[in-house]
Amino acid sequence: MKFFKSSTLSGLFIAGAMVAAIGTASADPIKVGIANFGEHPQLNAAIAGFKEAMAANGFTDGTDVVYSESHTNFDASLVPQMIAKLQAENPKLIYTVTTPVSQIAKKALAGSGIPIVFSAVTDPVAAKLVPSWDKGDDGMTGASDLQDIAAVLAFTHKFLPDAKRLAVPYNPGEANDVALLEKVQELAPAAGFTVVPVGIDNVNDILQRVTSVAGKADVIYTPASNLIQPAIAAVSAAARQIGIPIVNSDSSAVANGTVPASFSVDYGQVGRNAGKIAAEILNGKDPASIAPSAPSYADHAPLISKKAAAAFGIEIPAEFNDCGCIVE
């Protein structure tokens, strides 16, 4: 009898331990991979915003979710290896930052069952990440950083009222850049600008290509390009040589006095848009049923640098006196 009683207690103990183990396992945080192209203020903000929105939607870092982050220092040849590494960790979802990373991830993860949420992608339709702006693709959707180009052009006209010719440096080999250039070309005439495309596919060619627009342009608009933005200091130095001011798509280059002005998307908000979508997918929603998001006009903001404006010989128009957007 004692043996039977002891066996029963032992069985209850084992069963209880199994229940506890199952409960612990079910409470383990899920894994989410983050595939970034490289360290950059805009892209870092998109990652921070993603995590913020995930937490706001019930996925707290360290409790409900753990992140595995990786980047390739803007080396596209290393992206497949990065994606393979993240896939091997069996994540519930992978967050891809920038168009090149998202395009490679889509091919690499096809059929894997791992959903992908992208961000910092200018035109996901042109990049063939989703079939349209109205819906996601099989296992993939996300948040665009598409700027309101009409608003950018309106700001540029206010900031430089005499400018008529707009140079746009872009990488012909990147879908993001080409899509944005086409949008600028479509909208520029209504804003009173003609467009001067400046193709740059290698950072070593920046000085030559930018200075080649001397006498052909009155202002340079530098888009959210994975080639142009990391080298914005070199672009600005070349532009200063020929006396042509820059309106940038990234405010950080204005805040540090590199370029005179920007009208930019808040990349933290782009990340938050992506994080909200990721939370929906993790809660069971089909990515194909979620349309990619795009920043609203309210997600943009101007910034003007007194220091850089003076260096380019620009007098800041009086209408900006009370904008709260001027930094020293």
Side-chain angles (χ1 to χ4, degrees), residues 262-284:
S262 67
F263 191 80
S264 62
V265 168
D266 177 355
Y267 275 78
Q269 185 58 48
V270 173
R272 286 187 284 275
N273 292 343
K276 181 180 177 182
I277 290 171
E280 290 178 335
I281 293 170
L282 291 170
N283 282 323

Side-chain angles (χ1 to χ4, degrees), residues 19 22 28-29 37 55-56 129 143 150 152 157-158 165 186 195 208 228 248 251 285 298 303 310-311 315-316:
V19 170
I22 292 170
D28 285 345
F37 203 17
L129 299 177
V152 171
H157 181 70
K158 288 179 181 179
R165 301 168 297 175
E186 174 191 342
V195 178
Q208 178 187 352
I228 301 299
N248 196 34
S251 62
K285 196 165 183 180
L303 194 67
E315 183 176 342
I316 300 173

Side-chain angles (χ1 to χ4, degrees), residues 53-225:
M54 284 279 284
N57 285 275
F59 294 91
T60 303
D61 189 1
T63 302
D64 307 293
V65 61
V66 289
Y67 297 104
S68 178
E69 298 184 45
S70 189
H71 72 84
T72 66
N73 198 28
F74 299 100
D75 187 341
S77 69
L78 297 178
V79 174
Q81 178 182 335
M82 172 175 65
I83 299 300
K85 172 182 171 292
L86 292 173
Q87 182 181 5
E89 296 173 1
N90 298 314
K92 291 293 184 183
L93 180 143
I94 290 182
Y95 175 47
T96 58
V97 186
T98 74
T99 298
V101 172
S102 301
Q103 288 174 319
I104 293 170
K106 181 175 184 176
K107 291 180 181 178
L109 297 174
S112 69
I114 301 173
I116 302 169
V117 173
F118 59 75
S119 79
V121 170
T122 299
D123 190 334
V125 179
K128 303 186 185 305
L129 299 177
V130 293
S132 74
W133 282 98
D134 299 321
K135 60 182 181 179
D137 202 1
D138 182 26
M140 186 176 214
T141 189
S144 167
D145 62 359
L146 182 66
Q147 289 191 301
D148 185 330
I149 297 301
V152 171
L153 295 171
F155 168 78
T156 302
H157 181 70
K158 288 179 181 179
F159 183 59
L160 299 163
D162 297 328
K164 303 294 183 185
R165 301 168 297 175
L166 181 76
V168 182
Y170 75 107
N171 182 358
E174 187 166 327
N176 257 5
D177 291 29
V178 174
L180 192 140
L181 173 65
E182 290 173 350
K183 193 68 175 178
V184 173
Q185 290 173 320
E186 174 191 342
L187 299 174
F193 289 105
T194 58
V195 178
V196 181
V198 185
I200 304 174
D201 55 14
N202 190 306
V203 292
N204 296 324
D205 296 333
I206 285 176
L207 177 62
Q208 178 187 352
R209 299 290 173 81
V210 173
T211 55
S212 72
V213 303
K216 302 174 185 177
D218 307 308
V219 58
I220 297 172
Y221 170 61
T222 42
S225 163

